[in-house]
Amino acid sequence: MKRLMTLIMLGCLAWYPARSQEASGEPQDYRALQGVVVDSQNGDPLVFASLALEGQNLTTVTNAEGEFLLKVPPDLEEGRIVVTYLGYRSRQIPLSAFGREPLEISLSVSVTSLPEVNVAAPADATQLVKDALRKKGENYLDKPVKMTAFYRETIKKRRRNASLAEAVVQIYKAPYTSDRQDAVELYKARKSTDYSRLDTVALKLQGGPFNALFVDVMKYPDYLLSAEYIDDYQFFYERNTTVDDRLVYVIGFRQRESILEPMFRGRLYIDAERKVLTSAIYSLNITDEAMASRMFVRRKPANVQVTPTQISYRVDYREQDGRWYYSYSNALLEFKVDWDRRLFNSVYSLSLEMAVTDWEPNPDGIVPRLRDRVKSSIILSDAAEGFSDPDFWGEYNIIEPDKSIESAIRKIQRQLRREDRR
């Protein structure tokens, strides 16, 4: 039962009556660097490639089309953008290479075999994972910091967008060795919803930014690699890769055959030299649909059956001055919805992603007042306020929406202008 309770926090959906709101904000000055990151051999877009301004904490990631938009100070003329992607050689792109037209950045595959490097792989993959967890105090942030992050959650009915909510949040990150939970403050938010696609009542994601934050398995190991359940997994070596020209072990894992409750399977990327978890990509092994439904469906009408078909997560970490920190995470929850007396079912997907765009030390450990903090039970679409000012993100770096989402936003903007004229 404890295992079920910990998994529940990684994203829950619910149905609620629909309602709408409006928003406002103020744009800031910035220089926008735009482009696309692709595979050098086949030209395929690289999804969730990371881009960072060298020596600073300004970062973003590419979207599902490989596209990015990184916002930097307008007077910054010198410097380099570091582009990284798992399994590919990193590149440094000078700021002078960016012009008015989007820049195409190609990355080459990089595979390093063990004999070519002077690092011996531990014989036991399980022990390597435990060592990475044990060393988090010396490898990850050991002081409180204040992060700025961009968060987005999307609800789709089949392949068509039904709801989009976005927010800029402030994360008051506690040290990785501290038991204190991180605090989140909502800075700006906006949303649009086509309620005609949500079966007369609204399908919503409970948890908001906390869902993305709890994917930080080094800060919250109980949601994946708790000491109580880590031995319920089998860990094994897969191929090795490189990140930033450093050898990284790829550790696969799956639940043992004797474990009947749904657990996770996936890959852990561990830096060979320092034993640092740099990324984790994993999904729920849905062995029991009814049990998985109880884990993730918080509230629903009595005349509907909801069955999870895919639950997957990803978290990435970045290094600054010898310390690693949470940088990016995403989650995808797909469900099949069967209504009584309806011939066909509906398929919904709920996706969320959050990227840290900047951070600074928080030496006094100051956190917002309780009444200003975002609760872990938040429904972001209730707290968001609409699209009346689409430029209020200003200098904040965002994950560029998919083209289909951009079209949906433009449609909402036209509708709002028509409403204003009325």
Side-chain angles (χ1 to χ4, degrees):
M1 179 61 70
K2 180 180 177 182
R3 192 199 325 262
L4 295 181
M5 294 304 295
T6 58
L7 292 179
I8 282 173
M9 293 302 296
L10 289 176
C12 296
L13 61 85
W15 276 260
Y16 293 85
R19 59 187 177 187
S20 60
Q21 298 166 318
E22 296 183 2
S24 63
E26 296 182 1
Q28 303 284 336
D29 291 332
Y30 57 86
R31 177 188 174 192
L33 310 180
Q34 300 184 61
V36 60
V37 181
V38 300
D39 183 291
S40 62
Q41 291 189 349
N42 55 32
D44 290 343
L46 298 181
V47 182
F48 305 137
S50 177
L51 298 98
L53 181 58
E54 191 175 45
Q56 300 192 38
N57 300 323
L58 297 177
T59 65
T60 190
V61 297
T62 58
N63 68 359
E65 306 293 334
E67 300 168 345
F68 66 88
L69 182 141
L70 180 66
K71 298 179 179 179
V72 301
D75 55 350
L76 190 63
E77 298 180 356
E78 297 183 355
R80 296 187 298 180
I81 302 298
V82 180
V83 187
T84 58
Y85 190 76
L86 280 174
Y88 286 72
R89 294 189 181 278
S90 60
R91 287 189 61 186
Q92 292 79 37
I93 309 298
L95 289 176
S96 58
F98 291 89
R100 293 185 177 182
E101 297 298 323
L103 179 66
E104 180 175 291
I105 301 173
S106 60
L107 299 184
S108 301
V109 174
S110 174
V111 178
T112 304
S113 59
L114 277 176
E116 298 175 0
V117 295
N118 191 26
V119 179
D124 187 353
T126 301
Q127 188 58 49
L128 176 61
V129 174
K130 292 182 177 180
D131 288 345
L133 293 169
R134 178 178 53 83
K135 292 168 67 69
K136 70 178 182 180
E138 61 184 89
N139 286 331
Y140 294 82
L141 290 176
D142 59 347
K143 295 180 175 58
V145 298
K146 179 182 177 182
M147 296 175 165
T148 299
F150 173 75
Y151 172 82
R152 170 188 288 123
E153 64 183 45
T154 306
I155 300 175
K156 292 185 178 182
K157 184 176 181 180
R158 298 197 182 275
R159 294 186 178 182
R160 303 186 66 178
N161 293 297
S163 180
L164 169 66
E166 299 175 314
V168 171
V169 298
Q170 305 285 359
I171 303 170
Y172 296 82
K173 192 77 173 169
Y176 275 78
T177 53
S178 170
D179 293 331
R180 181 160 56 88
Q181 183 173 294
D182 301 330
V184 179
E185 185 177 21
L186 196 64
Y187 179 68
K188 294 284 187 181
R190 59 184 181 179
K191 65 107 177 183
S192 67
T193 302
D194 184 350
Y195 290 107
S196 67
R197 299 194 176 280
L198 293 178
D199 288 323
T200 71
V201 289
L203 178 69
K204 299 182 181 180
L205 181 67
Q206 182 172 324
F210 273 99
N211 286 327
L213 204 54
F214 285 142
V215 182
D216 180 357
V217 296
M218 293 306 297
K219 175 62 178 174
Y220 303 100
D222 284 349
Y223 297 114
L224 178 65
L225 300 172
S226 68
E228 183 176 357
Y229 296 118
I230 193 170
D231 290 327
D232 291 342
Y233 287 109
Q234 291 179 315
F235 296 93
F236 48 92
Y237 284 99
E238 295 189 356
R239 65 174 178 83
N240 302 302
T241 185
T242 59
V243 177
D244 294 338
D245 300 322
R246 296 171 63 91
L247 177 65
V248 172
Y249 298 132
V250 182
I251 308 297
F253 67 94
R254 56 176 174 257
Q255 70 186 79
R256 297 185 181 276
E257 294 183 358
S258 59
I259 306 301
L260 301 180
E261 297 179 26
M263 295 182 68
F264 293 102
R265 58 188 175 191
R267 294 182 176 91
L268 306 176
Y269 297 80
I270 299 179
D271 181 275
E273 182 179 354
R274 296 186 56 183
K275 296 184 179 179
V276 178
L277 179 69
T278 62
S279 293
I281 301 174
Y282 55 100
S283 59
L284 185 69
N285 184 24
I286 304 177
T287 54
D288 186 322
E289 292 182 348
M291 185 178 294
S293 179
R294 291 193 297 270
M295 290 163 57
F296 287 91
V297 181
R298 184 61 57 85
R299 174 179 173 180
K300 68 178 182 65
N303 61 334
V304 65
Q305 180 178 348
V306 183
T307 305
T309 57
Q310 180 180 352
I311 310 291
S312 57
Y313 305 92
R314 171 174 178 158
V315 61
D316 294 333
Y317 298 90
R318 294 193 64 83
E319 185 264 343
Q320 179 79 15
D321 298 329
R323 292 282 177 171
W324 294 74
Y325 62 92
Y326 163 81
S327 174
Y328 172 79
S329 64
N330 68 59
L332 174 65
L333 299 83
E334 292 186 348
F335 297 87
K336 181 176 65 177
V337 179
D338 288 295
W339 292 82
D340 291 349
R341 300 181 180 180
R342 292 190 185 182
L343 184 58
F344 301 105
N345 59 42
S346 299
V347 178
Y348 288 95
S349 64
L350 298 88
S351 62
L352 61 91
E353 53 188 343
M354 186 158 70
V356 173
T357 61
D358 195 6
W359 65 270
E360 61 185 12
N362 185 17
D364 298 325
I366 298 175
V367 296
R369 296 171 296 181
L370 286 174
R371 67 180 184 181
D372 297 326
R373 298 183 195 179
V374 173
K375 296 181 179 179
S376 59
S377 59
I378 186 178
I379 303 293
L380 181 61
S381 59
D382 291 344
E385 297 182 336
F387 278 95
S388 59
D389 186 355
D391 295 322
F392 74 74
W393 302 110
E395 65 186 1
Y396 292 105
N397 287 301
I398 68 172
I399 306 162
E400 282 292 90
D402 297 339
K403 289 182 173 61
S404 57
I405 294 178
E406 290 176 327
S407 300
I409 293 173
R410 288 194 293 270
K411 179 179 178 181
I412 292 295
Q413 291 171 340
R414 290 196 297 269
Q415 291 174 341
L416 289 173
R417 286 194 290 270
R418 283 197 293 268
E419 290 296 322
D420 290 339
R421 286 196 292 270
R422 292 176 185 173

